[in-house]
Amino acid sequence: MAPRVSRIPDIPNVELGEGPHWDVRSQCLYFVDIFGKSIHKYVPLTRQHTKAVFDKPVSIIIPLKEQTDQFVVTLEREISIVTWDGVSVKTATVQKIAEVDPGTKNRINDGKCDPRGRLFAGTMGPEHEIGHYSPQAGTLYSLSNGVMKSHASKIGISNGLAWNLLLGKFYYIDSLAYSVDEFNYDVITGNVSNRRSIFSFKRLGMDGFPDGMTIDEDGNLWLAVFNGYKVIQIDPRKTDTLLQSVEIPAKQVTSVAWGGPNLDILYVTSASFTVDGEALLPPNHGAIFEVIGLGTKGLPANDFVL
């Protein structure tokens, strides 16, 4: 069966959809609208969409492990624990637990938790004009047991992350390097080493740049292609190996996450902000999509361990 791409009509269009996270326990999709300063929840079974709004850009929402209505959320440069019932337009509490890149105008852009529940999150520099980025201003961090650790610097736009414990690998995207990179990964210490490029848009002459990323049960990576109208599947074990491409009817494809009862639905976020005068209009730009029939499925997303 050929893949089928559908816009989810129950979710209103957003300006910068990002950070999709499927919660297995509650069978719902969480995501953020960075420019809309909001966290979102969508329950496919009831087709209910809700959101809560902050006063700062928000880029990550991940549930706390074995907790109810508790999430780690990133607000500009701050990492906070918030209490949200998933319905109210405001969160009940916001407790700051860490801050990165103090004294700058940077912001956290993307992040996920590793299989031990450590939060890995990276920053990017300020956009002096929407769609025009500061080069090499960001850093990739991790947070575990209250300790912040830096893993890579001079990052353009810190983006997609994924782990393969069987291979001892961590995969990471710096969008402005147009590359998916591989690190050796020590799950015991959380340390990364031996960085190398395994898939390069420049080497392959591909349009757009890599954004968010996830991994499937076969060990292949799925990448959102920003400014590319597509999601691609690559084999990280073979340098520059493109397996398939799935067209998405939105130019600014931002991230991907596996979800659904069988983890075989690929949820895709997108954006709709204007760059250099090019307006990207609804219904597709800024929509959330689901893709079925991909012939594989994902793994449960990792929650945050405080």
Side-chain angles (χ1 to χ4, degrees), residues 140-181:
L140 174 65
Y141 297 96
S142 67
L143 173 63
S144 179
N145 296 319
V147 177
M148 295 293 307
K149 186 185 296 185
S150 170
H151 298 279
S153 59
K154 296 184 178 180
I155 302 298
I157 302 177
S158 191
N159 251 317
L161 312 92
W163 289 263
N164 186 327
L165 289 192
L166 292 178
L167 299 180
K169 301 297 183 183
F170 166 59
Y171 304 110
Y172 174 66
I173 288 172
D174 175 357
S175 293
L176 295 191
Y178 298 89
S179 176
V180 182
D181 292 350

Side-chain angles (χ1 to χ4, degrees), residues 12-20 31-36 107 109 127 130-131 133 209 211 224-230 248-256 268-275 278-289:
N13 292 60
V14 296
E15 192 171 1
L16 178 48
E18 263 286 8
F31 65 96
V32 304
D33 180 356
I34 296 178
F35 290 168
R107 68 166 175 83
N109 186 59
E127 295 173 72
I130 297 298
Y133 307 104
F209 58 75
D211 203 314
V225 182
F226 191 89
N227 285 342
Y229 285 99
K230 61 180 172 285
I248 304 294
K251 181 177 182 179
Q252 297 170 344
V253 184
T254 55
S255 196
V256 287
V268 181
T269 56
S270 72
S272 61
F273 55 87
T274 299
V275 179
E278 181 187 7
L280 301 175
L281 304 177
N284 290 325
H285 299 290
I288 311 300
F289 301 88

Side-chain angles (χ1 to χ4, degrees), residues 4 30 53 69 80 104 110 121 129 154 215 227 239 290 294:
R4 190 174 82 220
Y30 293 102
V53 180
D69 297 343
S80 298
T104 73
D110 198 4
E129 183 181 345
K154 296 184 178 180
I215 192 167
N227 285 342
T239 301
E290 61 178 20
L294 290 169

Side-chain angles (χ1 to χ4, degrees), residues 178-196:
Y178 298 89
S179 176
V180 182
D181 292 350
E182 173 192 275
F183 292 84
N184 292 340
Y185 189 69
D186 185 333
V187 72
I188 304 300
T189 64
N191 291 331
V192 302
S193 59
N194 299 325
R195 183 178 184 176
R196 71 183 187 95

Side-chain angles (χ1 to χ4, degrees), residues 60-78:
I60 299 168
I61 175 171
I62 300 173
L64 263 63
K65 190 175 182 65
E66 298 177 352
Q67 301 294 320
T68 301
D69 297 343
Q70 297 283 304
F71 304 88
V72 61
V73 168
T74 51
L75 298 167
E76 207 163 57
R77 290 176 299 281
E78 299 176 356

Side-chain angles (χ1 to χ4, degrees), residues 26-27 43-44 69 79 82 96 98 119 138 172 179 188 196 199 207 258 302:
S26 60
Q27 291 290 291
V43 184
D69 297 343
I79 302 172
V82 307
K96 176 181 169 181
L119 177 66
Y172 174 66
S179 176
I188 304 300
R196 71 183 187 95
F199 190 89
D207 293 331
W258 293 102
N302 303 313

